[in-house]
Amino acid sequence: METLHSLLSHEEAIRRCLTRRVGFSAFPAPLETDFLHQRNDKRNLHYLPACLIAIVIYNLFFISDRIMVPDIATTAWRVRFYVVTPAMALVMGLVTIRRFQRHTELFTMVLMLLTSFSIIYLLTRSHHPNVAHYYTGIILIAIFGNIVAGIRFKTGLVTSAAILFAYVISLDNMPAMGREAGINSALVLLASLVISLFGCYQLESEARREFLHGMLQRINARKLAETNRKLAVISITDGLTGLFNRRHFDAIYDAQWRSAARVGAPISLLFIDIDHFKLFNDHYGHQAGDQCLERVAGVIDSCVNRAHDLAARYGGEEFVVLLPHTPLDKALIVADRIARGTEKLAIAHDASPTHALLTLSIGASCMTPRDNRRPEQLLKCADTALYRAKDSGRNRIVPLADEKAGAIVLHGSL
């Protein structure tokens, strides 16, 4: 799958190509490769039916062999049925094999040359006066190859030039073709080749333009998707700390509560408050305060490891950690990691009356949702635990299994 970066690396080249007034001959290398792969894939979708139609139409002309070149009709049939038709059938077989499908244009070129040269060969062998009109088969071959088969203009130009050259140098060896008829047939063939090449050029130019517009659409779609993804992240993320914001927490908390209620699993909450953060801000300044919030948020985020756990900034210097399917004792282990991780930051807090370093107060609570319990009760319980942690001296973790339990268990001071 293409990444946005790989698509954007082509954007400037795409827009530059689209500003050209003249048609396209080739794109810059990476774009040209992508275009050829796409065009080859599209051509392969109808290549087999086209080959089958070509074989049928080509062999129907064995009827005209008896009329146009009766003196060499048998030779014409042998060339038609024993040389050209097997070659066409071989190509049909090869293009069904994946590793040969990228060579379909080469196969088409070979078949155009083979069928055209076979007609030129028969023209040099026949002495019948009707042979002057037999060259028209080459015109049909050119139209089919340059337009129907959808080969590239450069390939068509080389192939057509080779056919015209072979025809012109063979004119002197066509016994039944008079000088005037030979010149006229060469001019008609030249005009037909030019017309078919013009059609080939127009088709390729249009295909290239469609490819460029398609690429731009994909780039714009990926840009839009990336913008929407970033907006979605911004809408649920706290801009300063990088944690989820309260809005996202509220949505996830409600969903996790219902999930826990369905299976009867416990759900735990940690309310975390930075001790004396206002004093820290006043003493060190708001920039230091912001850096402090970022570092503490980093510790909290590093301690919340499970996919369905969630850490969020609840407001100001307060954070919340949601731990679904987690009993209180396991939640306290997470709370202890957060407290000790913050202690290891060794952020000086000279304005704190509690400790010389920055500390946290954490309220932990756990409930198993039941019919008579609401999610607001767990929030209230965790908030009460946090209040008691702060009221009892800060720098501690206070667990509260249920708001009605009443007992305060001090997990210990740091």
Side-chain angles (χ1 to χ4, degrees):
M1 184 178 180
E2 288 180 310
T3 63
L4 178 61
H5 177 73
S6 66
L7 285 173
L8 288 177
S9 66
H10 297 323
E11 185 175 13
E12 184 179 349
I14 291 171
R15 297 192 182 280
R16 193 165 54 245
C17 289
L18 283 172
T19 56
R20 294 182 187 171
R21 294 182 179 274
V22 186
F24 313 100
S25 56
F27 298 138
L31 274 180
E32 183 69 11
T33 301
D34 290 345
F35 169 73
L36 293 180
H37 284 162
Q38 184 187 98
R39 186 170 172 82
N40 202 48
D41 289 342
K42 287 183 177 180
R43 180 171 51 220
N44 287 337
L45 292 175
H46 61 77
Y47 196 79
L48 283 179
C51 276
L52 186 59
I53 292 171
I55 289 175
V56 171
I57 293 176
Y58 176 76
N59 285 307
L60 279 176
F61 274 87
F62 85 94
I63 299 173
S64 70
D65 292 340
R66 175 62 67 182
I67 300 170
M68 303 299 291
V69 286
D71 56 331
I72 58 165
T74 302
T75 303
W77 293 347
R78 286 173 181 168
V79 171
R80 196 177 292 278
F81 294 120
Y82 298 146
V83 179
V84 178
T85 299
M88 290 181 174
L90 176 61
V91 168
M92 284 185 65
L94 288 176
V95 296
T96 61
I97 303 173
R98 187 162 189 83
R99 63 175 178 169
F100 290 111
Q101 289 178 350
R102 57 194 177 97
H103 301 302
T104 51
E105 186 158 305
L106 175 62
F107 295 152
T108 303
M109 179 181 181
V110 171
L111 288 178
M112 287 177 66
L113 292 173
L114 178 63
T115 50
S116 298
F117 291 168
S118 70
I119 292 176
I120 294 173
Y121 168 74
L122 294 174
L123 285 170
T124 63
R125 303 289 293 174
S126 176
H127 293 77
H128 196 276
N130 286 344
V131 80
H133 306 289
Y134 198 67
Y135 77 95
T136 53
I138 301 176
I139 297 174
L140 295 178
I141 293 167
I143 292 172
F144 186 87
N146 289 338
I147 297 178
V148 178
I151 62 175
R152 284 183 297 165
F153 174 74
K154 287 182 178 179
T155 305
L157 181 62
V158 171
T159 307
S160 299
I163 292 171
L164 182 63
F165 178 77
Y167 184 80
V168 171
I169 64 172
S170 300
L171 281 175
D172 290 338
N173 298 317
M174 298 177 187
M177 183 79 72
R179 178 178 176 79
E180 293 78 6
I183 294 174
N184 180 70
S185 64
L187 289 174
V188 172
L189 180 59
L190 172 62
S192 301
L193 291 173
V194 169
I195 291 171
S196 67
L197 285 173
F198 180 75
C200 178
Y201 181 80
Q202 291 288 89
L203 289 173
E204 183 178 347
S205 294
E206 187 59 32
R208 288 180 177 274
R209 191 171 294 277
E210 284 182 9
F211 169 77
L212 294 177
H213 283 298
M215 287 287 287
L216 275 184
Q217 288 178 352
R218 286 162 60 192
I219 289 172
N220 290 335
R222 293 297 294 273
K223 279 182 176 179
L224 180 61
E226 182 66 13
T227 300
N228 289 337
R229 186 192 67 78
K230 289 179 178 178
L231 288 174
V233 170
I234 290 172
S235 69
I236 63 174
T237 305
D238 176 64
L240 175 63
T241 64
L243 297 179
F244 291 112
N245 57 25
R246 181 168 179 173
R247 175 186 175 188
H248 185 63
F249 166 79
D250 290 340
I252 298 301
Y253 175 61
D254 186 58
Q256 289 291 356
W257 178 274
R258 292 196 303 270
S259 174
R262 283 195 297 270
V263 297
I267 182 169
S268 294
L269 278 182
L270 304 177
F271 269 16
I272 305 166
D273 188 81
I274 299 177
D275 293 330
H276 305 294
F277 184 72
K278 185 178 184 304
L279 295 177
F280 185 94
N281 251 348
D282 292 342
H283 184 77
Y284 295 102
H286 290 287
Q287 185 174 357
D290 288 346
Q291 292 173 351
C292 170
L293 288 171
E294 289 181 62
R295 296 181 69 187
V296 171
V299 170
I300 295 171
D301 190 49
S302 68
C303 295
V304 180
N305 301 318
R306 297 183 305 175
H308 55 272
D309 294 343
L310 183 143
R313 186 181 181 190
Y314 206 63
E317 70 274 20
E318 193 169 332
F319 302 90
V320 62
V321 174
L322 171 64
L323 302 167
H325 303 275
T326 305
L328 185 60
D329 58 334
K330 295 293 191 299
L332 289 175
I333 293 174
V334 176
D336 189 63
R337 287 179 190 158
I338 293 171
R340 295 188 187 281
T342 302
E343 182 183 22
K344 288 179 181 178
L345 292 177
I347 300 174
H349 192 345
D350 295 337
S352 173
T354 303
H355 201 284
L357 298 178
L358 190 82
T359 58
L360 302 177
S361 294
I362 303 177
S365 186
C366 178
M367 278 188 184
T368 299
R370 299 189 182 93
D371 293 340
N372 62 338
R373 287 182 171 174
R374 307 291 297 167
E376 294 81 8
Q377 289 177 277
L378 179 57
L379 288 169
K380 179 64 176 175
C381 196
D383 188 57
T384 300
L386 175 62
Y387 173 78
R388 292 179 181 179
K390 293 163 70 173
D391 193 51
S392 57
R394 301 178 189 265
N395 187 25
R396 65 193 61 225
I397 301 167
V398 172
L400 193 59
D402 192 306
E403 190 179 9
K404 295 181 179 180
I408 301 176
V409 182
L410 296 183
H411 188 64
S413 300
L414 299 178

